[in-house]
Amino acid sequence: ERSPFIAQVTHAKPFNANQVISYGPGIQREGVLPNQTAEFTVDARSILAPCNGKIPPIGCTVTDKDGQSVTPTINDNRDGTYRVSYRPNKETKYTIYVTCDGLATKDTPFLVNVATKIDLSGVTVSNLKPLVKTNVEED
């Protein structure tokens, strides 16, 4: 009656949000380019049965290291999976949170380094002198 503790009681969810998984190039640590659309998949098929075939809302936030948000688009594939796309607008680190009915899903948050790729395949280096000799006998 005079307890100093206040408890918030909520209804138990019929599913485990940790069973909702995300995968794809848009949440890989490296490889996302600035000003280009990045995509990944959210797979919620494992919670279809406990939710009587109705998956609770899938959510996503994409925020850069300065706290600026990028608005993602979530498309329902109508098979228990969702395609999420976003377009990072600068080279920096982004944090991506994926939720199901407001609960964090498996492996959330995802940390993504957005950077321009530099193609070094056409670069050649010449006239370098070795700094370290190995397996060579001295005279």
Side-chain angles (χ1 to χ4, degrees):
E1 190 174 273
R2 295 181 185 245
S3 171
F5 304 104
I6 298 173
Q8 181 177 3
V9 178
T10 60
H11 295 288
K13 305 285 184 187
F15 64 92
N16 179 353
N18 202 41
Q19 292 176 319
V20 177
I21 60 171
S22 301
Y23 56 88
I27 54 173
Q28 298 300 311
R29 187 170 296 277
E30 305 289 339
V32 174
L33 303 173
N35 300 309
Q36 293 192 19
T37 300
E39 294 183 340
F40 63 94
T41 300
V42 178
D43 187 341
R45 290 177 290 188
S46 64
I47 65 168
L48 276 169
C51 293
N52 296 319
K54 290 186 174 184
I55 296 173
I58 298 295
C60 180
T61 60
V62 180
T63 309
D64 72 20
K65 71 175 186 170
D66 299 320
Q68 298 297 312
S69 295
V70 173
T71 303
T73 300
I74 303 172
N75 292 308
D76 186 348
N77 296 327
R78 304 199 184 284
D79 63 356
T81 66
Y82 299 78
R83 190 189 74 211
V84 180
S85 59
Y86 66 98
R87 188 177 176 97
N89 53 15
K90 61 184 172 184
E91 291 188 42
T92 190
K93 294 180 181 181
Y94 286 80
T95 302
I96 301 171
Y97 285 93
V98 180
T99 60
C100 182
D101 204 20
L103 300 174
T105 60
K106 185 174 178 67
D107 298 327
T108 289
F110 300 94
L111 305 177
V112 177
N113 295 317
V114 174
T116 302
K117 286 185 181 178
I118 299 172
D119 182 7
L120 299 176
S121 64
V123 175
T124 58
V125 179
S126 59
N127 297 326
L128 289 181
K129 296 181 182 176
L131 297 174
V132 178
K133 294 181 180 180
T134 59
N135 297 325
V136 176
E137 293 184 26
E138 293 289 326
D139 288 333

